[in-house]
């Protein structure tokens, strides 16, 4: 995702980080772990799937749904992405 100028300004203020933390705290543990391992630790989908003993499709699907939900959450909070 390419952030808008408003998103860059919000990030500098720490608003996006705060809202991401709020969003993550509301996720199911499994979804939160997959998301953080992929986008914070940069683990590959294959590595995440292997570590948790699930197939790649489950990880990809979870990440897709979580990204969409995060986008909607940020938009509801007035943060443009």
């Amino acid at each position: 995702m390419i952030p808008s100028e408003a998103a860059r300004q919000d990030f500098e203020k720490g608003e996006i980080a705060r809202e991401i933390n709020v969003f993550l705290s509301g996720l199911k543990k499994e979804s939160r772990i997959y998301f953080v391992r992929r986008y914070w630790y940069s683990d590959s989908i294959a590595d995440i799937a292997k570590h948790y003993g699930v197939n790649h499709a489950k990880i990809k699907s979870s990440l897709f749904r979580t990204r969409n939900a995060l986008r909607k959450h940020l938009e509801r909070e007035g943060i443009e992405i």
Side-chain angles (χ1 to χ4, degrees), residues 18-40:
R18 242 186 331 273
E19 285 305 323
I20 289 173
N21 284 331
V22 167
F23 171 77
L24 290 174
S25 70
L27 289 178
K28 292 180 183 178
K29 182 179 179 180
E30 179 180 84
S31 296
R32 182 174 54 246
I33 289 170
Y34 297 161
F35 190 84
V36 169
R37 296 223 20 163
R38 179 70 177 132
Y39 298 112
W40 181 259

Side-chain angles (χ1 to χ4, degrees), residues 4 6-7 10-11 15-17 19-20 71-81:
S4 67
D10 288 340
F11 180 79
E15 291 177 32
I16 290 177
E19 285 305 323
I20 289 173
R71 181 179 294 123
K72 288 177 185 176
H73 173 81
L74 293 175
E75 288 172 353
R76 276 193 309 267
E77 296 303 318
I79 298 172
E80 295 179 34
I81 299 293

Side-chain angles (χ1 to χ4, degrees), residues 27-66:
L27 289 178
K28 292 180 183 178
K29 182 179 179 180
E30 179 180 84
S31 296
R32 182 174 54 246
I33 289 170
Y34 297 161
F35 190 84
V36 169
R37 296 223 20 163
R38 179 70 177 132
Y39 298 112
W40 181 259
Y41 295 108
S42 300
D43 288 352
S44 70
I45 290 172
D47 287 344
I48 297 168
K50 182 178 178 182
H51 186 268
Y52 292 99
V54 297
N55 64 39
H56 296 85
K58 179 175 181 170
I59 302 297
K60 289 170 110 176
S61 177
S62 175
L63 292 171
F64 177 78
R65 286 190 308 270
T66 303

